[in-house]
Amino acid sequence: RTIPAVAAFITATLGEAYTEPPEFSISDVIKETTPTTPVLWFLRDGADPSIEIEILAKKLKQRMLCLSMGAGQESAQWEMAKKALESGAWVLLQNVHFGIPLALKLQEYLEDLGRAESIKIQPEGRMLITSEI
């Protein structure tokens, strides 16, 4: 009850522009990132960009690998993600339980990719993550 009441107060006081989420284009987000800059979407009811990402990938004829993290498969999934980035694919890690351990692992992983001379990441590769709040 508090959130709707606060939203109504802000709308009445400052205007609707302060309570409506800003529009954004997934295409613009992709253009503004690099292969070693992950994009993280926090999911909420009715708001999951996964389908839009898949549609954009098809439209751009971009290869994409979708992975659900967990169930003890993390090392295999990180390896698959690395190979996909090396080939220029987009990697979509879905429904990740994002927290400090995963953030540290992701940071370490992307820093290693950026430093490794033997790994040639293609510029069109992207790391995309969806996570429940």
Side-chain angles (χ1 to χ4, degrees):
R1 291 185 273 170
T2 303
I3 292 175
V6 170
F9 173 77
I10 291 171
T11 300
T13 307
L14 300 173
E16 199 171 294
Y18 291 92
T19 56
E20 292 298 314
E23 289 189 32
F24 75 96
S25 159
I26 290 178
S27 179
D28 289 344
V29 170
I30 297 295
K31 289 177 192 172
E32 294 175 13
T33 60
T34 68
T36 57
T37 305
V39 179
L40 174 63
W41 281 276
F42 287 106
L43 307 178
R44 61 184 178 92
D45 291 340
D48 183 349
S50 299
I51 300 223
E52 291 176 58
I53 293 168
E54 290 180 38
I55 290 169
L56 180 62
K58 285 179 185 172
K59 178 181 171 186
L60 298 174
K61 296 181 172 81
Q62 175 65 48
R63 287 174 292 116
M64 188 167 96
L65 173 66
C66 297
L67 297 171
S68 291
M69 299 298 281
Q73 299 296 316
E74 287 86 2
S75 5
Q77 290 165 331
W78 285 117
E79 190 60 32
M80 289 169 62
K82 181 178 88 170
K83 288 188 184 313
L85 284 174
E86 287 175 10
S87 72
W90 292 356
V91 177
L92 177 59
L93 305 179
Q94 295 178 297
N95 300 320
V96 172
H97 296 287
F98 203 80
I100 292 174
L102 180 64
L104 293 173
K105 174 72 176 169
L106 181 61
Q107 178 182 1
E108 174 188 330
Y109 172 75
L110 292 170
E111 286 174 354
D112 287 348
L113 282 179
R115 281 193 299 263
E117 293 177 18
S118 63
I119 299 172
K120 303 285 188 231
I121 299 175
Q122 300 302 312
E124 60 275 0
R126 293 294 182 272
M127 176 72 73
L128 311 168
I129 304 167
T130 63
S131 177
E132 293 182 7
I133 297 178

